[in-house]
Amino acid sequence: MRLSILSMAGDQPVLSGAQAGRQLLGKLVAAAHPPAEPEPVYLDFDGVTVATASFLREGVIAFRDHARATLPALYPVIANASPAVIEELEFFLRHRKDALWACRLTPSGEPREAKILGELDEAHRSTFDLVTRLGTASAPSLAAQSQESLAPTAWNNRLSNLAARGLLIERRSGKTKTFAPVLEVA
């Protein structure tokens, strides 16, 4: 799924203010449909030159939080953002000690140059890096493979936190949950 931020924001290349962000949130919520299988939803910033922190907070971050709470198979990803938008988003996320996926999309919609914007604390960063290296993991498998002496419950808490932020896809198979990165890191 790919949602054009420029068109949803009335073809305005400069996006600012909390009210405009809330208007975007309403449009994003209306456009987002629950997928049958977990998948990213690309919030395509192509054509947007600047977006303020208040706009991003009320629009993009609020949509990520809404999607993760009510559409658990949908994983918001920032796509094709200008350097100014990335800088503003990065600053905002670091201030909140939060993180979000970002990438470039090819004309055919393939993600490239995927990276995490923002900040993860040391425990979540090491967990994310381990899952990225393995490709897919469960709490029991991380407990068995890691150098850290953590119980599966602690691993599950870390993995669930990363999934709640939209950084890892969570899949259930019976009682077991497996986790994998939403995108491949560049």
Side-chain angles (χ1 to χ4, degrees), residues 5-17 20-21 45-53 55-56 82 84-85:
I5 300 303
L6 184 67
S7 66
M8 288 184 160
D11 293 322
Q12 299 296 313
V14 176
L15 306 175
S16 66
F45 276 79
D46 190 34
V48 174
T49 55
V50 177
T52 65
F55 177 87
L56 293 167
S82 71
V85 172

Side-chain angles (χ1 to χ4, degrees), residues 6-183:
L6 184 67
S7 66
M8 288 184 160
D11 293 322
Q12 299 296 313
V14 176
L15 306 175
S16 66
Q19 182 59 33
R22 285 190 287 275
Q23 289 172 350
L24 174 70
L25 172 62
K27 292 176 182 177
L28 289 169
V29 168
H33 303 290
E37 291 293 319
E39 71 175 58
V41 56
Y42 297 103
L43 305 180
D44 191 350
F45 276 79
D46 190 34
V48 174
T49 55
V50 177
T52 65
S54 59
F55 177 87
L56 293 167
R57 178 190 68 234
E58 298 297 323
V60 173
I61 301 300
F63 175 71
R64 188 271 316 259
D65 294 344
H66 169 79
R68 297 305 310 129
T70 62
L71 301 165
L74 208 54
Y75 293 84
V77 174
I78 302 299
N80 301 323
S82 71
V85 172
I86 293 287
E87 180 182 343
E88 196 71 17
L89 192 53
E90 182 85 38
F91 177 80
F92 178 76
L93 290 167
R94 284 189 185 282
H95 179 72
R96 280 181 40 149
K97 298 191 183 327
D98 199 355
L100 190 64
W101 277 104
C103 70
R104 293 257 168 239
L105 291 177
T106 65
S108 65
E110 293 298 314
R112 298 286 186 260
E113 302 168 34
K115 63 183 177 180
I116 300 292
L117 298 179
E119 182 176 303
L120 294 172
D121 65 33
E122 188 177 322
H124 289 109
R125 172 52 77 179
S126 67
T127 303
F128 178 82
D129 291 344
L130 186 55
V131 174
T132 299
R133 188 168 45 82
L134 296 171
T136 195
S138 66
S141 71
L142 291 180
Q145 294 180 36
S146 173
Q147 306 288 4
E148 295 181 64
S149 57
L150 291 175
T153 303
W155 283 111
N156 189 62
N157 291 341
R158 288 183 183 185
L159 292 165
S160 293
N161 178 284
L162 292 168
R165 293 184 193 189
L167 303 176
L168 296 178
I169 288 177
E170 179 180 334
R171 289 185 171 91
R172 266 190 193 278
S173 177
K175 290 184 178 183
T176 305
K177 291 190 281 186
T178 59
F179 298 83
V182 173
L183 299 176

